Amino acid sequence: MYAFEIERPSTLAEAVSALSAEGAQALGGGQTLIPTLKQRLAAPEVLVSLSGISEMKGVCPDDDGRLCIGGATTHAAVARDAAAAYPALAALASHIGDPAVRNRGTIGGSLANNDPAACYPAAALASNATIVTQNRAIDADDYFQGLFTTALEEGEIITEVKFAIPEAANYQKFLQPASRFALVGVFVAKYADGVRVAVTGASEDGVFRWSEAEAALSSDFSAGALDGLSVPAEGMIGDLHGTPEYRAHLVKVMTKRAVAAAG
Amino acid sequence: MAKVSMTVNGAAASGEVEGRTLLVEFLRGPLGLTGTHVGCDTSQCGACVVHVNGEAVKACTMFAAEADGAEVRTIEGMANADGSLGVIQQAFQDHHGLQCGFCTPGMVMSAAALLKDNPKPTEAEVRKYLEGNICRCTGYHNIVKAIMAASGQDVSAIAAE
């Protein structure tokens, strides 16, 4: 790693101020950023750790019935504390990485990084979650903008993520066993006004909505409703773990499994 | 350089660290606690697992500065007060839960974290929980058996060593 300073603010205001410095970067749980620093793929001058900011941690419902999760909340805490209100989201969190990784990695860090194979982007997009920063609230539909690219601006911190709770939901992840990321992951969420289907791990553009499946499932919420659909291989990731055709095939398989499991 | 202070295995510990100093480097270097191992240094293998404020973390993927003020427990803190092996350590010895022993500190710390939350895990739960701890000797079978035994469960039905 190149040398840098670490700051550990205890309030959001202090963190925002520290991040306005030249060369400053936010540090969530570090489970992606620290390996990246070790490879010298990033060279911040100052890391601003968000792990000591208690106002950015925790899971609670708001007055509109949404589940609000602080940006610095760990995957382990989401798995535990969201289980009653949003079991599909808690189940997703409980399968990220491994137990020690889940004790450090955070929802805000995952969404800010927007790895094309991360799990949380699928949940956020399928739930049309609201990504809240110190400056504004961003709909998930506007937030994800491609590989490792989001609507976040320089110095902007995810303080909170708000999820509308669906009538039924499920996440199915086809595990890439070495990395424990998703080879393909599909989050299906059924709301009163329609079904949303978000796919991670598959596309070269990162997480995306499978709109044909959403239309089919909105009129008939059953795995059979997807029988006539297929996903084009064009634009899918091809690597040593799977071809674009394989990933395209998996998208449909995992969507059907998610619908069947959601009931 | 910045000063960090923490409690390690019940005793106060402090030192000067760089921003980039990893928790595992602080433990193994200035504190001389070399029981915590660095296997992969990429947060895959789990040889560096320690407890920070009671939670298992990979000490190669956390900065020492982030542990300022924390309660840290390492493998050196797992023995009984009289120096004899703790329950999990003794079970690893009794059931031959190690071959070369390199992964063992992380295995024991992960096992302790599991048993704190789930005192009587099933064999499947133990195997699932250890997904972030890799044994290059592939000695998983006896590791799982040792953890089951440490939880006070009968392991006589688990196949021979």
Side-chain angles (χ1 to χ4, degrees):
Chain A
M1 279 179 277
Y2 295 108
F4 50 81
E5 300 293 320
I6 286 194
E7 296 200 19
R8 294 189 76 216
S10 57
T11 66
L12 177 60
E14 289 169 9
V16 169
S17 165
L19 278 169
S20 67
E22 183 73 24
Q25 183 173 355
L27 170 67
Q31 302 304 285
T32 297
L33 182 54
I34 295 175
T36 304
L37 291 166
K38 288 180 180 180
Q39 293 182 63
R40 294 191 163 185
L41 294 173
E45 289 169 37
V46 179
L47 278 187
V48 180
S49 168
L50 306 179
S51 63
I53 304 175
S54 53
E55 64 190 293
M56 280 177 58
K57 293 181 188 178
V59 177
C60 66
D62 72 1
D63 293 341
D64 300 324
R66 292 180 298 184
L67 191 67
C68 304
I69 302 178
T73 309
T74 63
H75 308 325
V78 173
R80 185 180 62 239
D81 299 335
Y86 196 166
L89 182 68
L92 173 148
S94 74
H95 289 89
I96 297 172
D98 60 54
V101 167
R102 292 194 286 274
N103 282 334
R104 293 293 301 164
T106 66
I107 186 171
S110 174
L111 292 174
N113 190 48
N114 192 21
D115 187 295
C119 297
Y120 269 125
L125 189 57
S127 311
N128 196 17
T130 304
I131 318 291
V132 183
T133 75
Q134 74 270 30
N135 299 326
R136 57 193 171 135
I138 311 165
D139 286 345
D141 280 332
D142 302 321
Y143 175 82
F144 298 103
Q145 300 185 352
L147 217 60
F148 298 108
T149 308
T150 70
L152 291 179
E153 289 168 4
E154 201 76 19
E156 208 168 8
I157 303 171
I158 298 176
T159 56
E160 190 176 33
V161 188
K162 297 183 177 184
F163 292 87
I165 296 174
E167 295 168 359
N170 190 262
Y171 177 64
Q172 291 287 321
K173 165 164 139 179
F174 194 95
L175 196 71
Q176 201 288 86
S179 71
R180 293 182 286 275
F181 274 89
L183 193 65
V184 169
V186 179
F187 200 106
V188 173
K190 180 175 183 285
Y191 290 92
D193 61 353
V195 175
R196 290 172 66 105
V197 177
V199 180
T200 189
S203 169
E204 290 176 337
D205 292 329
V207 69
F208 70 97
R209 287 172 66 188
W210 185 14
S211 47
E212 291 84 359
E214 292 182 350
L217 292 169
S218 293
S219 55
D220 173 13
F221 193 69
S222 73
L226 302 170
D227 282 340
L229 302 183
S230 63
V231 179
E234 190 184 2
M236 293 288 156
I237 297 168
D239 57 20
L240 79 169
H241 306 298
T243 61
E245 291 75 18
Y246 184 60
R247 280 187 166 83
H249 177 73
L250 272 182
V251 170
K252 180 172 170 179
V253 172
M254 302 315 281
T255 306
K256 292 178 95 166
R257 287 185 189 174
V259 172
Chain B
M1 301 287 275
K3 183 163 192 232
V4 293
S5 301
M6 60 190 84
T7 305
V8 180
N9 299 327
S14 60
E16 294 277 325
V17 297
E18 287 187 86
R20 61 183 169 179
T21 303
L22 298 166
L23 176 58
V24 73
E25 294 171 336
F26 182 65
L27 294 171
R28 288 179 55 86
L31 301 190
L33 297 171
T34 54
T36 302
H37 289 168
V38 180
C40 65
D41 200 24
T42 58
S43 75
Q44 307 283 315
C45 82
C48 67
V49 170
V50 301
H51 297 181
V52 174
N53 294 329
E55 293 185 327
V57 303
K58 293 184 170 175
C60 81
T61 309
M62 176 172 180
F63 295 115
E66 294 180 282
D68 187 42
E71 295 264 349
V72 178
R73 195 176 191 204
T74 71
I75 188 67
E76 287 88 350
M78 296 301 285
N80 297 321
D82 64 1
S84 61
L85 296 180
V87 171
I88 297 170
Q89 294 172 308
Q90 187 62 52
F92 269 67
Q93 186 181 74
D94 293 345
H95 296 277
H96 193 52
L98 60 151
Q99 292 182 43
C100 83
F102 192 87
C103 72
T104 311
M107 290 286 181
V108 170
M109 299 313 289
S110 280
L114 167 66
L115 297 181
K116 181 165 71 78
D117 293 337
N118 184 358
K120 300 283 181 198
T122 65
E123 187 179 336
E125 286 171 339
V126 174
R127 289 184 185 276
K128 174 78 178 151
Y129 196 87
L130 293 180
E131 64 188 341
N133 290 83
I134 295 174
C135 167
R136 196 57 279 170
C137 309
T138 67
Y140 299 104
H141 196 76
N142 286 347
I143 291 169
V144 173
K145 192 172 183 178
I147 294 170
M148 295 291 286
S151 72
Q153 301 185 84
D154 178 16
V155 294
S156 58
I158 298 179
E161 291 165 16

